[in-house]
Amino acid sequence: MHEKIMRNLILLFLVLLNFPAFSQSLSYIYPKPNTDKHSIQTPIVLRFDRAIDPSKISLSIKILGEKSGDHSFDVRISDDNRTVSIRTSRPFALDEDVIVSINGEKFSFRTSKISPQEQKELFAKYFLPSYPEISKIFANAPKETDDIPLDSIPSDFPKIIINSVRNPAPGYIYLANFGSGVDRSYLMILNNDGTPVKYRKVPLPGFDFKMQPNGLLTNARIITSHIPQGWGWAEAYMEVMDGNLKVIDTLQCKGGYIADFHDFKMLPNGHYLLISYDPQPVDMSQIVPNGNPNAIVLGSIVQELDADKNVVFQWRSWDYIPITDTYAPLDGIALDPVHINAVELDYDGNLLISSRHLSEITKISRETGNIIWRLGGKRNQFTFINEHPENAPTYFSYQHDIRRLPNGNITLYDNGVQHNPQYSRAVEYKLDEQNLKAQLVWEYRNNPDVFGETMGSTQRLPNGNTVIGWGGVSTGHIRIVTEVNPQGEVEFELSFPKGVSFQTTSYCAYRYPYPTNLPEAVVSFENISSLVQNQNDSLYFRNDTTDTGIIINFTELND
């Protein structure tokens, strides 16, 4: 840590020696130059195309707001030794141009017209009067209760109905009930007979309850909620829990943003991926016929924090996605055109994001922020093979839970809002990213159909089975969790009682082991590529200074 602080100080005062122009040495700049609507607390992030050696490279930085004047700042070098995160000591002014000068080279961006507090007030003004039950529920949320011994399960614990058990995969079901009675929400780990192995009562509905790759458990802890025109988003923070569901850490977005509940990832290199929503005033009369000149439009944010919780990457829909790419209505006063609900670290280090209201999966470069390709939606670049022609052109729609499989394929939960008739399914595509082809290689559509209009998840298990969390199923054939084998045969099925308001659904559902079995070591592609340079190189794993005996030897290296 002392060495990192010294490097930060060196960066503040020295002049760039190796590279004549920062545009040739920086692969990523945030905020994206010449963009607007940035938070007055926005971080500034610079990523070099190679590791920084403080003895050979340094920066002269000046930050000037047209209204707020010169800004002092703090500099951090992230653990990749390439990324510089800059935080100003005070906020910028609203609606001002900010010029950042790096060794004489300049770029600029413009701040938002409203502050983070004003964003909350605008949403409360337009939405809460229309949804008075939301104000009542979140104002009177009960206190959290400690875990109760399993021989005295509380009387308000949700009733679990096991519809089918045949030959499910090893492990336990992880889910959280969701409904109108927030005083009866539980995070729960269940046996195949529906009895709880572990549970925790939470004061507001549990969202995105799951196990991370390192074996820790996480849950999105709701702070407040806004439900514009029936679309859900909520301000939250992320709880990190041990196997006993005890909170050991919390995560929150930085730079003036509040985390959203939809997805949260802990990465193998110790970094974190979070999602946020960004309400901004937009004159929609200049964009669409009958647009409201006073509209409040939600942008979507993806933010990466390093192990020290500094922002090292940020991506905004404002900078890359036209509002008119949406399938959502654009003639109201409160609009949510993108609605990111999942983010996945791809096998090549880039990111896959799911945007519900675009009916699109987007691959973005984690190195530059640029879009690599767009799958589905109005700007689809792929040819679909073996799909159902009656669903064209939106073969999947309003989807959730994009995931990359070890075999290179992707899975997602197709909510099917744009199908006619509407139905939901789990799908797997084989992608040819060079020739932009997407081949449907597996799907599960229940018989009779299940339609989860909102929420939902798809998880491929090590034995080839697939766990489907059906999300917001409110009519027709109601199921909460279905596990099927590769042939589409049901191995396990679970539901909640019909007509019980406090347990209508679960945001997602997964099968994991319990106890959580923390891995002995986690190695990412980035770790390997930075440490292994030659054939027959080896990685040795130590616990502090003690050898663990774990060695990985690389006998062959491919690009």
Side-chain angles (χ1 to χ4, degrees), residues 252-443:
Q252 182 56 274
C253 284
K254 299 295 182 68
Y257 298 111
I258 302 294
D260 172 69
F261 69 81
H262 280 93
D263 200 4
F264 169 64
K265 290 294 194 313
M266 300 176 71
L267 304 184
N269 64 351
H271 290 204
Y272 310 92
L273 292 175
L274 301 98
I275 294 171
S276 182
Y277 287 177
D278 181 30
Q280 295 286 345
V282 177
D283 181 357
M284 290 299 297
S285 68
Q286 302 298 311
I287 298 176
V288 295
N290 302 317
N292 192 313
N294 300 309
I296 302 299
V297 180
L298 282 180
S300 285
I301 310 291
V302 174
Q303 192 174 87
E304 179 181 350
L305 306 181
D306 66 11
D308 294 325
K309 302 179 182 178
N310 298 308
V311 178
V312 293
F313 179 83
Q314 190 158 291
W315 188 91
R316 308 187 315 155
S317 61
W318 298 115
D319 301 334
Y320 297 94
I321 305 292
I323 292 175
T324 51
D325 284 3
T326 189
Y327 290 107
L330 292 178
D331 56 356
I333 193 168
L335 310 177
D336 184 6
V338 179
H339 197 96
I340 290 179
N341 58 26
V343 57
E344 173 81 340
L345 179 66
D346 206 354
Y347 62 87
D348 57 6
N350 294 308
L351 298 179
L352 302 175
I353 59 174
S354 167
S355 299
R356 172 177 169 86
H357 294 159
L358 302 178
S359 293
E360 175 181 314
I361 304 301
T362 313
K363 183 167 183 172
I364 60 177
S365 169
R366 195 152 144 254
E367 184 67 25
T368 66
N370 294 330
I371 291 177
I372 297 174
W373 49 249
R374 302 177 70 173
L375 172 68
K378 294 181 179 179
R379 302 292 184 105
N380 172 57
Q381 297 174 283
F382 281 73
T383 299
F384 282 84
I385 301 171
N386 200 35
E387 257 289 8
H388 301 281
E390 66 272 18
N391 290 335
T394 50
Y395 292 104
F396 59 83
S397 58
Y398 281 45
Q399 74 292 329
H400 284 75
D401 206 30
I402 174 65
R403 302 296 170 229
R404 179 74 78 166
L405 299 180
N407 65 5
N409 294 350
I410 62 169
T411 59
L412 56 86
Y413 179 65
D414 175 16
N415 290 80
V417 173
Q418 293 172 288
H419 297 337
N420 186 17
Q422 293 174 318
Y423 67 91
S424 301
R425 59 179 180 156
V427 296
E428 177 183 353
Y429 291 107
K430 180 180 180 181
L431 298 185
D432 179 347
E433 298 182 56
Q434 295 296 320
N435 299 304
L436 298 179
K437 295 181 180 180
Q439 180 182 358
L440 179 68
V441 295
W442 184 88
E443 67 174 333

Side-chain angles (χ1 to χ4, degrees), residues 178-303:
F178 172 87
S180 61
V182 295
D183 59 329
R184 296 185 175 186
S185 294
Y186 284 84
L187 311 180
M188 59 188 89
I189 303 172
L190 304 175
N191 284 298
N192 288 330
D193 63 3
T195 58
V197 175
K198 204 72 180 175
Y199 62 85
R200 174 179 154 217
K201 191 173 185 178
V202 290
L204 293 173
F207 284 94
D208 196 36
F209 174 48
K210 64 191 175 191
M211 184 186 295
Q212 297 290 341
N214 61 5
L216 294 175
L217 306 178
T218 56
N219 172 58
R221 182 66 172 267
I222 304 299
I223 301 172
T224 185
S225 181
H226 311 281
I227 306 186
Q229 300 180 7
W231 305 322
W233 70 284
E235 295 170 340
Y237 63 88
M238 302 301 150
E239 297 179 322
V240 180
M241 300 170 287
D242 63 17
N244 292 316
L245 302 183
K246 300 299 183 183
V247 177
I248 59 175
D249 197 7
T250 60
L251 275 295
Q252 182 56 274
C253 284
K254 299 295 182 68
Y257 298 111
I258 302 294
D260 172 69
F261 69 81
H262 280 93
D263 200 4
F264 169 64
K265 290 294 194 313
M266 300 176 71
L267 304 184
N269 64 351
H271 290 204
Y272 310 92
L273 292 175
L274 301 98
I275 294 171
S276 182
Y277 287 177
D278 181 30
Q280 295 286 345
V282 177
D283 181 357
M284 290 299 297
S285 68
Q286 302 298 311
I287 298 176
V288 295
N290 302 317
N292 192 313
N294 300 309
I296 302 299
V297 180
L298 282 180
S300 285
I301 310 291
V302 174
Q303 192 174 87

Side-chain angles (χ1 to χ4, degrees), residues 492-514:
F492 175 85
E493 209 157 35
L494 176 155
S495 62
F496 292 152
K498 293 184 179 180
V500 181
S501 62
F502 67 84
Q503 56 176 118
T504 56
T505 188
S506 178
Y507 174 74
C508 56
Y510 301 106
R511 184 179 288 279
Y512 300 116
Y514 188 84

